[in-house]
Amino acid sequence: MMKPPPPFARRGKRHFPLVEACFQSDLSGWGGSFWPGDEDDSPAHRFNELNREFLLESRRERRREVIVFAVVMLVAFWPVLYMIYSVVTLLLHGNPFDL
């Protein structure tokens, strides 16, 4: 048995690959959705669901972290605000100790 020549081999005057003309593409297997067959137990669909759940949970966790960070910043900034208020009050009313 002889090995078939590669499609780009020189045959006469042609110097380009031969094209397979028997290929036919039809849409008979297409179900109208992105996922082939639209099955709930396909690996791609399961991965998509897992990805969606992970992103939702990460958004919830990020929202909680932002709220806790805002509370911590307010608690840490409260003494600074009170100090500024005290200094402004002292400067406006003069020396309260009459030294």
Side-chain angles (χ1 to χ4, degrees):
M1 182 179 245
M2 191 171 144
K3 184 177 173 184
F8 51 84
R10 229 178 231 217
R11 292 183 188 155
K13 294 186 179 186
R14 291 190 261 176
H15 298 287
F16 54 89
L18 296 176
V19 177
E20 179 65 42
C22 295
F23 177 75
Q24 293 181 0
S25 175
D26 62 348
L27 297 175
S28 62
W30 187 62
S33 67
F34 181 74
W35 305 110
D38 200 21
E39 300 162 353
D40 287 342
D41 57 339
S42 69
H45 187 64
R46 285 193 309 255
F47 178 75
N48 190 25
E49 286 296 319
L50 177 68
N51 189 24
R52 185 179 300 126
E53 290 174 13
F54 175 76
L55 290 175
L56 286 172
E57 183 62 30
S58 66
R59 282 186 206 127
R60 281 189 224 116
E61 189 67 26
R62 188 175 303 131
R63 190 178 307 131
R64 287 184 206 129
E65 289 176 0
V66 166
I67 290 171
V68 169
F69 180 73
V71 168
V72 168
M73 297 295 3
L74 285 174
V75 169
F77 196 61
W78 174 250
V80 175
L81 287 177
Y82 189 71
M83 186 253 337
I84 291 172
Y85 171 76
S86 299
V87 168
V88 168
T89 305
L90 178 66
L91 291 174
L92 289 177
H93 297 292
N95 191 356
F97 298 113
D98 292 328
L99 296 177

